[in-house]
Amino acid sequence: MKNYPSNTTRQQFELIRPALENFRKRTKPRKYDLYEVFCAVLYVLKTGCQWRQVPGDFPEWRSVYNYYKIWSTKAEPTADSLLEQVLKKLSLLGELTKDVQL
């Protein structure tokens, strides 16, 4: 997979991986790496492209869209979706490490 500006790092993704993996019960093995699916969702959110225009080095657009639908569903109208929760967590992580030299 190409390194797009919208991608998150693997280290950052490992902080949110458990939430994404455990959101729905798995009935069969995953076909795609969740990191690549999540980066594809970030690509669409950042660029505003249509789902069918997701670059070919990401997983199939239909699969990415299905994950997006699952992750963006709200249990209650006032509650945050899982996608909103993990994006906030990544945003807070970015704010905390912005001024820190690693």
Side-chain angles (χ1 to χ4, degrees), residues 38-81:
F38 186 71
C39 287
V41 169
L42 291 179
Y43 179 85
V44 171
L45 294 176
K46 176 120 177 147
T47 64
C49 77
Q50 295 176 354
W51 289 104
R52 290 176 188 235
Q53 293 177 329
V54 170
D57 52 341
F58 283 122
E60 180 188 21
W61 73 267
R62 286 180 184 92
S63 296
V64 175
Y65 178 68
N66 285 331
Y67 274 98
Y68 170 78
K69 284 193 315 187
I70 292 166
W71 293 340
S72 62
T73 301
K74 294 184 177 196
E76 298 175 15
T78 57
D80 287 341
S81 68

Side-chain angles (χ1 to χ4, degrees), residues 25-42:
K25 217 177 210 184
R26 218 178 355 173
T27 56
K28 59 183 178 179
R30 285 194 172 86
K31 186 176 179 181
Y32 299 109
D33 180 13
L34 273 185
Y35 172 73
E36 292 180 5
V37 172
F38 186 71
C39 287
V41 169
L42 291 179

Side-chain angles (χ1 to χ4, degrees), residues 83-98:
L83 185 58
E84 291 169 326
Q85 292 171 23
V86 297
L87 290 175
K88 284 179 183 177
K89 186 172 186 175
L90 289 177
S91 175
L92 290 174
L93 178 66
E95 288 296 317
L96 291 174
T97 59
K98 182 170 46 173

Side-chain angles (χ1 to χ4, degrees), residues 3-13 16 35 38-39 42 90:
N3 189 18
Y4 293 96
S6 57
N7 289 1
T8 186
T9 65
R10 286 267 181 188
Q11 292 84 4
Q12 290 172 326
F13 181 74
I16 61 170
Y35 172 73
F38 186 71
C39 287
L42 291 179
L90 289 177

